[in-house]
Amino acid sequence: MQDITSFKFGVMPSPVGSAGGSAILGGAGLAVPTNAKNKDLALEFLKWFYTDKNFADYLALDKGLSSLKSVTYEPADPDQAADYKRPAG
């Protein structure tokens, strides 16, 4: 095992371009195959999961980057919130 105590960790918000912030989701995503056995139930779950409130609750637990433009992770801790603010300009 290597000693990493001298490594300086930090948090960086996603880059912001002229069209808005980017999202690095790691390739994870949810999809329902056309011929899935319980396709209707799966689609019902996705509609439930991606409501603004449910997805915001998920992000609060996961502390991840949102794939929805209307829902973002907003940390309760003021120090963490500062890390997520857009830079001026």
Side-chain angles (χ1 to χ4, degrees), residues 68-79:
L68 299 179
K69 198 172 193 176
S70 62
V71 180
T72 58
Y73 168 59
E74 296 185 26
D77 181 289
D79 291 332

Side-chain angles (χ1 to χ4, degrees), residues 9-70:
F9 289 91
V11 176
M12 184 183 100
S14 292
V16 177
S18 61
S22 67
I24 306 165
L25 299 174
L30 299 174
V32 179
T34 302
N35 298 321
K37 182 177 178 182
N38 293 307
K39 179 181 174 181
D40 292 337
L41 184 60
L43 291 171
E44 186 178 327
F45 168 76
L46 289 179
K47 288 176 186 176
W48 171 86
F49 181 69
Y50 283 110
T51 63
D52 287 356
K53 184 197 178 320
N54 292 336
F55 196 63
D57 289 347
Y58 165 76
L59 288 177
L61 293 172
D62 182 59
K63 297 175 179 52
L65 296 171
S66 178
S67 58
L68 299 179
K69 198 172 193 176
S70 62

